[in-house]
Amino acid sequence: MSSDITLYTWTTGNGFKVSITLEELGLPYKTEAINISTNRQKEEWFLNINPNGRIPAILDGGQRVFESGAIMTYLVDKYDTERKISYAPGTPEHVEQTCWLMFQMSGIGPMQGQANHFRFFAGARSDYGIKRYIEETKRLYSVLESRLQESTYLAGEKFTIADIASYPWVSGAPVSLQIDLSEFPALNKWVEEIGKRPAVQKGVAVPHFWPQEDMAELFKKCRANIDAMTNSDQH
Ligand SMILES: N[C@@H](CCC(=O)N[C@@H](CS)C(=O)NCC(=O)O)C(=O)O
């Protein structure tokens, strides 16, 4: 099937969900790097593609799609005719696929996103905020752990977009939030297995490769910055 896809993205968990999906499907696509630290995502032209002013987004010919979960769903609905990374609608596994995709979109993404905010980028230090969101992230990981103790992948025995949605967030957590994945053995094994997939390795290098050491260095600096502030919580 022909496609004319442009991916607007940056080196973040939400961006990687879409580049991994595109790589797994083997679809050709152009990449437009949107460096979110320069606020390019808030420019007028981009708001026509994603009115929410965030990455990722795609244009497929004249069709815009924003919200990473909607983009992944759109891509498999339209292009995954061989069901490489999705289950067929109407099957119990497809229902599970949707449940775990939504679990990431409404749980892990927002909660871990807030943990990142309080731990790295906040304008004031809040030990309460750091603890609340890291604990909640870990609670959500324990839900993934329970599921992965009974099932190889989140939706069933096949690797799907449900796994792709959570993978970049969970795999980045040890380096960013210093979450020890050995507390979650089945989840840890799932991360290791998924990390071996060639399409995943390609997808996490879009729009450019960001060496793990540089990433670790940046997060370390951000944590030190917050730690140097006086805790501003009101008791
Ligand atoms: N729910 C959205 C979240 C998108 C999102 O938060 N993107 C971040 C990068 S991971 C972003 O663009 N941040 C820049 C900003 O908020 O201005 C999705 O899943 O697509």
Side-chain angles (χ1 to χ4, degrees), residues 12 14 17 36 39 41-42 53-56 67-69 105:
T12 72
N14 287 322
K17 292 178 196 172
I36 56 176
N39 268 348
Q41 72 281 13
K42 309 295 182 205
R54 292 185 166 194
I55 65 92
E67 281 295 323
S68 55
M105 292 299 295

Side-chain angles (χ1 to χ4, degrees), residues 4-231:
D4 177 20
I5 298 171
T6 303
L7 167 63
Y8 300 84
T9 196
W10 195 239
T11 51
T12 72
N14 287 322
F16 294 149
K17 292 178 196 172
V18 179
S19 43
I20 292 173
T21 302
L22 287 162
E23 295 293 341
E24 287 281 354
L25 290 174
L27 283 171
Y29 62 101
K30 293 189 278 295
T31 303
E32 181 75 34
I34 306 289
N35 183 344
I36 56 176
S37 68
T38 65
N39 268 348
R40 205 175 165 215
Q41 72 281 13
K42 309 295 182 205
E43 291 173 9
E44 203 57 39
W45 69 272
F46 186 71
L47 296 178
N48 289 323
I49 300 169
N50 183 355
N52 196 28
R54 292 185 166 194
I55 65 92
I58 65 163
L59 273 182
D60 184 6
Q63 180 71 58
R64 77 173 185 193
V65 196
F66 58 91
E67 281 295 323
S68 55
I71 303 169
M72 288 188 286
T73 304
Y74 169 86
L75 289 172
V76 294
D77 284 355
K78 184 164 178 187
Y79 296 106
D80 194 13
T81 47
E82 291 170 24
R83 301 276 164 223
K84 283 187 198 163
I85 51 163
S86 63
Y87 282 104
T91 61
E93 291 91 347
H94 184 268
V95 179
E96 285 288 321
Q97 178 184 300
T98 306
C99 295
W100 292 107
L101 178 61
M102 295 301 157
F103 175 82
Q104 195 290 326
M105 292 299 295
S106 60
I108 292 180
M111 295 302 122
Q112 194 169 332
Q114 291 303 313
N116 288 344
H117 172 78
F118 281 106
R119 195 66 191 96
F120 311 129
F121 309 120
R125 177 174 140 197
S126 166
D127 289 349
Y128 178 82
I130 293 171
K131 185 167 184 297
R132 173 180 165 82
Y133 289 109
I134 292 186
E135 288 305 313
E136 179 58 4
T137 300
K138 288 171 76 171
R139 190 193 67 78
L140 293 164
Y141 284 14
S142 73
V143 178
L144 292 179
E145 172 67 19
S146 305
R147 172 62 176 161
L148 293 167
Q149 279 182 8
E150 62 180 24
S151 177
T152 309
Y153 293 105
L154 291 171
E157 292 310 300
K158 180 161 67 178
F159 174 76
T160 68
I161 54 171
D163 303 289
I164 297 177
S166 281
Y167 171 78
W169 288 79
V170 179
S171 62
V175 165
S176 57
L177 293 169
Q178 299 178 295
I179 292 177
D180 182 2
L181 289 185
S182 65
E183 285 177 41
F184 310 99
L187 185 61
N188 201 11
K189 182 167 169 268
W190 171 91
V191 164
E192 279 172 17
E193 289 305 314
I194 295 174
K196 291 178 193 160
R197 297 177 73 92
V200 170
Q201 291 169 7
K202 278 192 192 162
V204 298
V206 175
H208 59 78
F209 178 65
W210 189 18
Q212 179 95 350
E213 312 80 66
D214 296 7
M215 205 185 294
E217 192 56 32
L218 174 73
F219 286 124
K220 197 173 151 197
K221 270 193 199 143
C222 292
R223 287 196 301 266
N225 196 21
I226 295 284
D227 291 343
M229 295 176 184
T230 308
N231 180 29

